[in-house]
């Protein structure tokens, strides 16, 4: 005679297992049943281990179903394991939860969940401020599986429909400051465990140690929304269940990604929050297509302001060599009144957004670049002077063929932050490693440590490959100095203009 029995692996995997089912003979060694019985003898604990959750579950779903058993003190989501830990205020409440789950099915987000006592007597918090009674209004957001860039605009879009966001600071661990303790608690319940984009950028939310965020400047890494006089940026509102911002953001030139607003009767929406029309995440498109994009989605200016430039080693051409990787560059002008600062006018606002996102904070020639959106709407060639290297402080690049976003092959451009590996192309087919090293030495550029050439077709007239440097800073400096330099080869009337960009490879 056989009968089904379910064995929980909870004891052996410490809140990580999901259990399995098997068939056990009726007449078998009694010691096996003793083993099965002992595996369930976990000491009762106020912490309950929840298994079998679906991908769509957030903290609020757990609280809504389980609060009938008693007051819930804390919830830890484990979205990639489809599990969670729920801490009750008393042992009796946890026992009611486990007992109820064993006697009848308990459904969370329309899927049956399974319950057992945790081996822990308390969920470990980062700090004592994780206790909601601490009146902390700062949330700590950890972005798990971050396949796409997360900026202050993205976090504002996600969190503001739930409660007024005052400040955002993005560092190794993201922080959000809500207006009140109630807003912070509501945001944690509504968003903890949800994906910002489908299948990635999963939010794990805890209460932070500080009770206030300090914002030094407004950019993609930090923003103070209580300062109305600072530069205005778009604040799209709304959230989609589970995948908060809909599908993945376009990587440069794709279609809009829909972002659905909170439903009017949502339990997470503030009562005074209006129901917006359907909006979309900002896409990055060429200027020729910008007429089809709603004006509310555009950035405030097509001009970037760059400070922290080395006064003797930077000029208009070298700034062009760096910024052209993120969009067409129209004009570059160094400011006479502010040494080490320049304005870069690009083809559209999206190019500026990309440049700010990828270049802000980059170290070049011993100085740290500060790249932000300028309040100027255009670069005017006034107060032109001579830079330290003898070149002009103003240069117009609108007609140069080195702009990479005007041709039909612009979708092939690699848009990503600086790395220690450079991709070179359009080089002479006879160029070798020693010639490249000599080229670096002649122009006082950092030398590469590894060299790789791609296999070219027999009919190919150019050479391409990868150059690895000691560090990211060395690669950035080499790109700034060497990008768009010309090689003249005997027998060819036209020179080869070598082009560089940051590679998606991290090493060779």
């Amino acid at each position: 005679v056989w009968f089904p029995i379910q064995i929980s692996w909870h004891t052996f995997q410490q809140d990580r297992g999901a259990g399995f089912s098997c068939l056990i003979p009726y007449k078998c060694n009694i010691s096996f049943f003793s083993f099965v019985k002992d595996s369930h003898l976990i000491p009762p604990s106020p912490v309950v281990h929840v298994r079998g959750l679906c991908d769509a579950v957030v903290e609020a779903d757990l609280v809504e179903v389980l609060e009938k058993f008693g007051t819930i003190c804390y919830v830890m989501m484990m979205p990639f394991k489809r599990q969670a830990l729920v801490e009750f205020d008393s042992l009796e409440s946890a026992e009611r939860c486990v007992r109820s789950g064993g006697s009848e099915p308990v459904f969370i987000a329309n899927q049956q969940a399974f319950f057992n006592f945790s081996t822990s007597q308390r969920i470990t918090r980062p700090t004592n401020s994780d206790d909601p009674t601490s009146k902390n209004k700062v949330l700590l957001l950890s972005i798990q599986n971050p396949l796409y860039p997360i900026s202050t605009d993205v976090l504002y879009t996600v969190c503001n429909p739930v409660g007024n966001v005052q400040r955002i600071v993005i560092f190794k661990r993201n922080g959000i400051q809500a207006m009140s303790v109630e807003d912070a608690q509501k945001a944690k319940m509504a968003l903890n465990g949800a994906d910002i984009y489908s299948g990635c950028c999963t939010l794990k939310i805890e209460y932070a140690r500080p009770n206030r965020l300090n914002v030094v400047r407004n950019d993609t890494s930090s923003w103070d929304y209580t300062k109305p006089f600072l530069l205005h940026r778009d604040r799209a509102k709304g959230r989609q269940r589970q995948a908060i911002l809909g599908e993945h953001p376009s990587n440069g030139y794709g279609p809009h990604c829909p972002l659905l607003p909170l439903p009017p009767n949502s339990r997470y929406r503030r009562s005074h929050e209006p129901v917006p029309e359907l909006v979309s995440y900002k896409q990055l498109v060429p200027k020729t297509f910008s007429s089809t994009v709603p004006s509310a989605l555009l950035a405030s200016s097509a001009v970037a302001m760059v400070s922290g430039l080395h006064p003797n080693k930077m000029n208009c051409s070298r700034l062009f060599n760096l910024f052209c990787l993120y969009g067409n560059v129209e004009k570059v002008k160094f400011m006479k009144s502010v040494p080490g600062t320049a304005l870069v006018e690009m083809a559209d606002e999206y190019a500026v957004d990309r440049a700010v996102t990828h270049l802000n904070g980059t170290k070049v020639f011993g100085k740290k670049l500060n790249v932000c959106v300028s309040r100027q709407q255009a670069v005017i060639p006034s107060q032109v002077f001579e830079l330290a290297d003898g070149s002009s402080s103003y240069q117009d690049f609108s007609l140069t063929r080195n702009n990479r976003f005007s041709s039909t092959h612009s979708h092939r451009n690699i848009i990503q932050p600086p790395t220690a590996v450079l991709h070179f192309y359009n080089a002479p087919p006879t160029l070798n490693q020693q010639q490249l090293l000599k080229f670096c030495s002649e122009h006082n550029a950092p030398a590469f440590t590894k060299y790789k050439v791609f296999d070219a077709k027999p009919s190919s007239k150019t050479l391409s490959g990868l150059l690895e440097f000691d560090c990211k800073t060395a690669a950035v400096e080499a790109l700034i100095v060497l990008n768009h330099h010309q090689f003249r080869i005997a027998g060819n009337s036209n020179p080869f203009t070598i082009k560089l960009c940051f590679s998606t490879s991290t090493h060779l």
Side-chain angles (χ1 to χ4, degrees):
V1 179
W2 298 77
F3 64 92
I5 181 172
Q6 185 171 23
I7 302 176
S8 172
W9 285 92
H10 172 78
T11 304
F12 304 100
Q13 295 192 353
Q14 295 183 345
D15 305 336
R16 291 185 174 90
F20 69 94
S21 297
C22 62
L23 294 176
I24 305 298
Y26 182 77
K27 292 183 179 180
C28 65
N29 196 317
I30 191 65
S31 63
F32 182 84
F33 285 100
S34 300
F35 164 79
V36 174
K37 181 179 179 181
D38 292 340
S39 68
H40 286 275
L41 293 180
I42 301 174
S45 166
V47 181
V48 173
H49 177 228
V50 187
R51 300 174 287 111
L53 300 174
C54 66
D55 289 333
V57 168
V58 294
E59 179 178 328
D61 297 316
L62 284 165
V63 173
E64 182 180 46
V65 174
L66 303 183
E67 63 183 355
K68 63 183 178 182
F69 301 115
T71 302
I72 296 176
C73 296
Y74 198 76
V75 176
M76 175 181 288
M77 301 295 297
M78 295 180 280
F80 290 111
K81 300 172 184 177
R82 299 185 179 183
Q83 302 173 25
L85 295 177
V86 180
E87 181 179 330
F88 289 90
D89 65 337
S90 65
L91 184 61
E92 292 74 16
S93 299
E95 289 176 337
R96 283 194 296 268
C97 176
V98 174
R99 186 167 54 250
S100 177
S103 60
E104 60 182 16
V106 176
F107 292 88
I108 299 177
N110 298 321
Q111 181 166 310
Q112 184 177 357
F114 303 93
F115 306 88
N116 201 349
F117 293 114
S118 170
T119 54
S120 303
Q121 294 294 313
R122 183 177 183 271
I123 298 177
T124 302
R125 279 86 150 165
T127 66
N128 291 332
S129 61
D130 290 317
D131 184 358
T133 60
S134 65
K135 306 298 182 183
N136 191 7
K137 58 183 180 180
V138 180
L139 296 179
L140 184 65
L141 276 64
S142 300
I143 312 297
Q144 301 175 341
N145 193 23
L147 298 183
Y148 297 91
I150 302 299
S151 65
T152 51
D153 281 342
V154 172
L155 294 180
Y156 185 93
T157 302
V158 169
C159 299
N160 198 61
V162 183
N164 277 330
V165 176
Q166 287 187 336
R167 300 171 187 88
I168 297 176
V169 175
I170 299 179
F171 41 97
K172 289 186 178 180
R173 303 190 75 184
N174 300 333
I176 291 284
Q177 182 169 348
M179 179 170 288
S180 65
V181 178
E182 291 74 19
D183 284 345
Q185 293 175 355
K186 190 187 301 182
K188 184 176 183 292
M189 288 181 60
L191 305 176
N192 192 14
D195 289 346
I196 294 179
Y197 301 112
S198 299
C200 63
C201 301
T202 305
L203 290 173
K204 180 182 178 182
I205 304 178
E206 302 161 313
Y207 292 101
R209 180 188 297 271
N211 55 19
R212 178 183 172 84
L213 294 178
N214 295 320
V215 176
V216 178
R217 58 181 177 270
N218 287 355
D219 54 26
T220 56
S221 298
S222 60
W223 201 272
D224 190 335
Y225 296 94
T226 64
K227 303 293 180 63
F229 55 85
L230 293 178
L231 182 62
H232 171 74
R233 292 208 299 186
D234 174 49
R235 300 175 182 177
K237 298 179 180 181
R239 172 178 88 91
Q240 185 179 9
R241 178 72 167 90
Q242 189 57 29
I244 306 170
L245 297 189
E247 294 301 319
H248 308 148
S250 165
N251 186 17
Y253 292 89
H256 276 293
C257 302
L259 171 61
L260 301 179
L262 287 173
N265 59 349
S266 171
R267 57 183 168 180
Y268 309 131
R269 177 177 295 283
R270 290 171 284 160
S271 58
H272 64 279
E273 182 78 17
V275 180
E277 299 295 330
L278 183 66
V279 297
S280 299
Y281 183 78
K282 287 192 298 184
Q283 64 170 348
L284 307 178
V285 297
K287 191 172 186 179
T288 54
F289 292 79
S290 61
S291 60
T292 62
V293 182
S295 59
L297 296 179
L298 298 179
S300 58
S301 173
V303 179
M305 184 170 70
V306 191
S307 59
L309 298 172
H310 195 288
N312 299 323
K313 295 184 178 182
M314 292 299 292
N315 56 32
C316 294
S317 295
R318 291 185 171 184
L319 266 181
F320 171 84
N321 289 343
L322 181 60
F323 275 75
C324 71
L325 273 59
Y326 303 103
N328 288 342
V329 177
E330 301 285 336
K331 304 170 187 175
V332 177
K333 171 189 172 182
F334 278 75
M335 301 175 66
K336 189 174 184 179
S337 58
V338 188
T341 302
L343 298 176
V344 180
E345 181 179 343
M346 307 192 74
D348 52 49
E349 296 85 355
Y350 307 111
V352 174
D353 286 342
R354 291 193 290 268
V356 171
T357 299
H358 296 305
L359 297 179
N360 185 44
T362 302
K363 291 184 178 180
V364 182
F365 300 125
K367 300 177 74 66
K368 187 175 182 180
L369 297 184
N370 179 21
V371 185
C372 62
V373 181
S374 173
R375 297 184 181 182
Q376 303 292 331
Q377 296 300 311
V379 171
I380 308 300
S382 60
Q383 294 184 328
V384 179
F385 60 99
E386 189 176 276
L387 297 176
D389 63 353
S391 63
S392 174
S393 64
Y394 169 82
Q395 196 166 346
D396 191 328
F397 295 95
S398 58
L399 299 180
T400 180
R401 298 179 62 182
N402 290 329
N403 271 319
R404 308 180 184 184
F405 290 77
S406 301
S407 67
T408 56
H409 301 294
S410 59
H411 64 279
R412 299 180 182 177
N413 290 320
I414 302 175
I415 303 175
Q416 72 160 39
T419 63
V421 180
L422 295 183
H423 171 72
F424 72 90
Y425 59 100
N426 203 48
T430 58
L431 189 67
N432 57 42
Q433 183 175 0
Q434 294 303 319
Q435 290 174 323
L436 267 177
L437 286 172
K438 181 181 178 181
F439 179 58
C440 294
S441 176
E442 290 175 348
H443 292 84
N444 297 320
F448 54 87
T449 57
K450 293 183 180 180
Y451 170 83
K452 178 181 179 181
V453 176
F454 297 146
D455 294 332
K457 297 179 180 179
S459 60
S460 178
K461 298 180 180 180
T462 60
L463 187 72
S464 61
L466 299 175
L467 305 174
E468 182 177 348
F469 293 80
D470 285 330
C471 60
K472 181 174 67 175
T473 300
V476 175
E477 293 175 0
L479 181 142
I480 289 175
V481 174
L482 305 178
N483 199 10
H484 302 127
H485 266 278
Q486 294 184 341
F487 286 89
R488 292 192 176 273
I489 305 298
N492 287 334
S493 57
N494 296 323
F496 290 84
T497 302
I498 189 170
K499 296 187 177 182
L500 301 168
C501 64
F502 298 113
S503 172
T504 55
S505 303
T506 57
H507 57 83
L508 300 185

